[in-house]
Amino acid sequence: MATRISPLAGKLAPLSLLVDVPRLLTAYYTEVPDPSVPAQRVAFGTSGHRGSAFEISFNEWHVLAITQAICQYRKAQGIDGPLFLGIDTHALSQPAYASALEVLAANGVDVMLATHDEYTPTPAISHAILTHNRGRTSGLADGIVVTPSHNPPDNGGFKYNPPNGGPAGEDVTGGIEAAANGLLEHALDGVKRIGYAQALRAATTHRHDFLDAYVADLGNVIDMEAIRDAKVRIGVDPLGGAGVHYWARIAERYRLDLTVVSDEVDPTFRFMTVDWDGRIRMDPSSPYAMQRLLAIKDRFDIAFACDTDHDRHGIVTAQAGLLPPNHYLSVVIDYLFAQRPQWGAHAAVGKTVVSTRMIDLVTARLGRRLFEVPVGFKWFAEGLLDGSLGFGGEESAGAAFLRRDGAAWTTDKDGIVPALLSAEITARRGRDPGALYAELAREFGDPVYDRVEAPATPQQKKQLAALAPQSIVATELAGEKIASILGTAPGNGAPIGGVKVIAKSGWFAARPSGTEEIYKIYAESFGGADHLRRIVNEAQGIVDGAIAHGGPPSP
């Protein structure tokens, strides 16, 4: 089950890998999805619908149908404030943005577009929604972000954020998905639409300066004075993403020693080094994708990158290199809850079930409550909104946390703020997050972590998602007695869409992919690399055995 690394991994993308943008855009406008084919239907994963125009899984029909379904949802829920609309730098984002605006304007929705048609990070949309809604009980705002996140250049994506500012939950996306597929089945009958030029001129179409509003507020969530006064040398690689013009404005406003290593935007992402599997992917947590920044890390005290919609972070130090997300999240929690006294004693630590146990140990030492939820940032939105969560984070390098005064900042993942926090930590602690994680490892042990994939049919994926803990007949994991088997998350009791098996020195979790014919195994060991390999190998056998029996044993 070892992950096969492509010979191209970590190397500059060859011309043969670059997406044919004209052909991709033609496919967006000309291909028509067949709703009787499951892969061509609208399907919301952990955060929105995504796919490729080449595979007829993301094209104009999908966007028109989803947008109309969102308009119907807004009307049914009485959401009549402005809708903030933002896009990233993927090739399909601009045409999808135009398609969405044509429907929104035809439905009379007040739409807020970025000033100067600026690219808009996901956190800037969440920040705008919360800023507008603060203190309101009516005229509430919501938003759409057109992005497939860090995924390959031929992908498009479409995310809806309701008035709580975070990713929409399944109670919302389920209805939108069903309505959108109904519109596809009826050849878009029921979709209201006007021409793009008319939509831009509509009285309901407005402009909003997302960039200035977000940047001007950063001092209320990050100690920018400490970074400036300590003269921390910062390097930033936007990876050609939506925050590309935010960083220079941040440096200017807060007088930081910050260097943007590249401000290039190119929909082929030809400047990227190839990810582990031979595909271009703007993943700031992947050492293969982060080679450009790693090559110059010694020039800076701290360096970081964000993915294409800037909702994920990657932290690079001169000594430790690229920090695994679990390492950095542990340091962030240890730092924030000691340095944010205004948060109050009730603010809990949020983590997903597949994140490191180091977070549990740090949280216990801090005397904080742990809120452990299934995969998906949507589970943190309400807690971040009401302040019952000080922090929410996931192993895939997504996180958000409260303002310095304990109020909500964003309720969606924010890659910019955790990135800047690494500079605050370096300034205030005099040591970078890599050195601070080494201290945690000396105190609690040094866990090793891995995530691997195994093939699974649609039926097997369905069985895994519905697997009950009693389906697991194994009693030991890598030589240790199994202490517990979870089918629901301890924090909120929600199904985790798979299982988590826990022993004294390690654990694994298995869950199906929402978009591919695979399932994922997440595993961690406090007993070293050999012990981790045993866990991973046994995990696949345990899961395959449970799936083969088709679910829980008969009573």
Side-chain angles (χ1 to χ4, degrees), residues 164-202:
N164 71 6
E170 291 171 16
D171 56 327
V172 176
T173 59
I176 291 172
E177 181 182 301
N181 283 320
L183 290 165
L184 291 182
E185 289 162 2
H186 292 88
L188 300 183
D189 184 26
V191 172
K192 297 179 182 178
R193 183 184 187 188
I194 60 176
Y196 181 60
Q198 185 182 354
L200 283 174
R201 294 193 304 268

Side-chain angles (χ1 to χ4, degrees), residues 41-96:
R41 291 173 67 82
V42 171
F44 278 78
T46 53
S47 186
H49 170 82
R50 74 171 176 90
S52 171
F54 290 145
E55 298 168 0
I56 324 181
S57 52
F58 186 93
N59 64 14
E60 185 177 41
W61 276 47
H62 294 105
V63 173
L64 296 173
I66 296 170
T67 309
Q68 183 63 45
I70 289 171
C71 291
Q72 292 168 1
Y73 171 79
R74 296 181 98 244
K75 187 174 182 180
Q77 296 296 315
I79 301 169
D80 56 3
L83 183 143
F84 293 95
L85 179 60
I87 64 169
D88 77 359
T89 55
H90 276 80
L92 289 174
S93 294
Q94 190 69 47

Side-chain angles (χ1 to χ4, degrees), residues 51 160 204 264 283 295 304 410:
Y160 175 63
T204 51
E264 183 179 1
D283 182 356
F304 40 77
T410 61

Side-chain angles (χ1 to χ4, degrees), residues 411-423:
T411 49
D412 206 333
K413 296 191 292 273
D414 187 335
I416 297 171
V417 161
L420 287 168
L421 186 71
S422 69

Side-chain angles (χ1 to χ4, degrees), residues 475-496:
T475 58
E476 289 192 351
L477 177 64
E480 294 182 332
K481 182 181 178 182
I482 291 175
S484 60
I485 303 173
L486 305 179
T488 57
N492 60 2
I496 64 177

